[in-house]
Amino acid sequence: MSQFLEKTIASKLIYEGKIISLYLEDVQLPNGGQAKREVVKHPGAVAVIPITSANKLVLVRQFRKALEKEIYEIPAGKLDPNEAPSACAVRELKEETGYSASFMKELTSFYTSPGFADELIYLFEATGLEKGEAQPDPDEFVEVVEVTLAEAQELLEQKHIHDAKTAYAIQHWLIKNIKRSK
Amino acid sequence: MSQFLEKTIASKLIYEGKIISLYLEDVQLPNGGQAKREVVKHPGAVAVIPITSANKLVLVRQFRKALEKEIYEIPAGKLDPNEAPSACAVRELKEETGYSASFMKELTSFYTSPGFADELIYLFEATGLEKGEAQPDPDEFVEVVEVTLAEAQELLEQKHIHDAKTAYAIQHWLIKNIKRSK
């Protein structure tokens, strides 16, 4: 039971797109008042932290239209309908980087923008990597790079890495390295 | 110069809302082909990691319509027009929790959903906290809680903490505690 529940009075589909849909919802507030909520629906996604046997992190550089710039990110992609997150993680890692992983471990999941979107990212760590051929989507142009922890932190400092999931991934990797060195 | 630049051929405003706007853009791909991009525009936001003198993290519990559930998050809020992120951090921390901070340090910034949105979050760490009266917005219903690191990790494990910025904040706090204990 939610103490602060906002009950839906009306929900209007504004736009149904290829990746996202936008709804405008009228809600009843806990104090009886009303408000409007803009809600973006997204199919959900996975992101993978691929760590090579040389202890390097595999990143993909790509242009992001929403940001009008190129950034380096951990490999990621949308869930296909009814696709299990672990299967999606294996698929996206292979498509974007060419790597197959002997070990694919689910770490956590998080919503990216709870204020307006339901996008949920399942985060995996991939190790035991074996290199093959990348198979990007026809409208996807990516460059694969492998970086040390220091290089990743430098990219973050310079805002060439500039998104939440990749910033999280670097912290995860840092914590893992600290624990291993103890 | 961006190697993978997607040049805008046409941009159509689909919806202009209170918090977000949605655009549908036709772009020219690096190989000369064309594609459509759905882009959500957002004013940007701040999030604050408030750490008390008792080494507790201040969280706010609130209902998120996009998720249809309540979650615990670090205090956060949208930038007002022309508002400096540091001023917004001071304002949102005060409004949502009642706390004023002697030290407000900018840590980093990250895009939350680069695949479809331009929302950029500026992240701050607030220390030297002094308690006052919270002043939430009229349509904002929040409960303030203070948790230890172990309690925060437990909330994350149970998915009561379930968003990227707060997951990042807990990692940041963990790394800080590890460094201090060395």
Side-chain angles (χ1 to χ4, degrees), chain A residues 57 59 147-161 166-167 170-171 173-175 177-178, chain B residues 108 175 179:
Chain A
L57 178 68
L59 297 174
V147 297
T148 63
L149 178 56
E151 287 165 348
Q153 288 171 319
E154 178 73 14
L155 285 170
L156 186 67
E157 186 68 31
Q158 297 168 344
K159 301 189 191 304
H160 296 307
I161 289 174
T166 308
I170 292 170
Q171 281 190 331
W173 194 25
L174 173 63
I175 293 165
N177 283 356
I178 291 171
Chain B
T108 188
I175 292 166
K179 284 181 178 164

Side-chain angles (χ1 to χ4, degrees), chain A residues 5-127:
Chain A
L5 177 73
E6 297 181 352
K7 196 181 156 194
T8 304
I9 298 166
S11 177
K12 184 182 167 191
L13 176 63
I14 302 288
Y15 178 78
E16 188 163 12
K18 191 180 147 202
I19 295 174
I20 56 171
S21 299
L22 174 62
Y23 289 80
L24 183 61
E25 306 200 328
D26 293 299
V27 301
Q28 183 170 348
L29 299 173
N31 67 357
Q34 290 194 13
K36 290 192 182 294
R37 300 286 181 234
E38 297 153 9
V39 175
V40 171
K41 305 258 185 187
H42 183 283
V46 303
V48 182
I49 306 176
I51 301 173
T52 70
S53 57
N55 202 29
K56 289 197 170 186
L57 178 68
V58 183
L59 297 174
V60 292
R61 183 166 71 92
Q62 63 186 313
F63 185 82
R64 290 301 204 170
K65 192 61 191 168
L67 319 185
E68 289 291 355
K69 70 171 187 174
E70 281 181 17
I71 55 173
Y72 293 84
E73 295 167 69
I74 53 172
K78 287 184 307 297
L79 288 165
D80 283 339
N82 301 314
E83 187 179 31
S86 59
C88 184
V90 169
R91 180 177 60 75
E92 286 288 349
L93 179 63
K94 173 70 181 162
E95 285 179 6
E96 293 196 346
T97 72
Y99 274 114
S100 302
S102 302
F103 305 100
M104 186 66 83
K105 179 183 167 192
E106 186 171 340
L107 297 175
T108 188
S109 65
F110 42 62
Y111 290 98
T112 56
S113 301
F116 68 90
D118 74 347
E119 184 192 26
L120 178 63
I121 291 186
Y122 297 88
L123 191 67
F124 291 82
E125 182 188 272
T127 52

Side-chain angles (χ1 to χ4, degrees), chain B residues 53-72:
Chain B
S53 57
N55 201 28
K56 289 196 170 186
L57 178 67
V58 184
L59 297 173
V60 293
R61 184 166 70 92
Q62 63 185 314
F63 185 82
R64 289 301 203 171
K65 190 61 190 169
L67 319 185
E68 289 290 355
K69 70 171 188 173
E70 281 180 17
I71 55 174
Y72 293 83

Side-chain angles (χ1 to χ4, degrees), chain A residues 2-4 6 8 17-20 25 38 61 65 70 109 111-113 119 162-164 168 171, chain B residues 2-4 6 8 17-20 38 61 65 70 109 111-113 119 139 162-164 168 171:
Chain A
S2 169
Q3 185 187 342
F4 300 135
E6 297 181 352
T8 304
K18 191 180 147 202
I19 295 174
I20 56 171
E25 306 200 328
E38 297 153 9
R61 183 166 71 92
K65 192 61 191 168
E70 281 181 17
S109 65
Y111 290 98
T112 56
S113 301
E119 184 192 26
H162 207 186
D163 75 301
Y168 182 95
Q171 281 190 331
Chain B
S2 169
Q3 185 187 342
F4 301 135
E6 297 180 354
T8 304
K18 191 180 146 200
I19 295 174
I20 57 171
E38 297 153 9
R61 184 166 70 92
K65 190 61 190 169
E70 281 180 17
S109 65
Y111 290 98
T112 56
S113 301
E119 184 192 25
D139 68 346
H162 206 186
D163 76 302
Y168 182 95
Q171 283 186 328

Side-chain angles (χ1 to χ4, degrees), chain B residues 114-127:
Chain B
F116 68 91
D118 74 347
E119 184 192 25
L120 179 63
I121 291 186
Y122 297 87
L123 191 67
F124 291 83
E125 182 188 271
T127 52

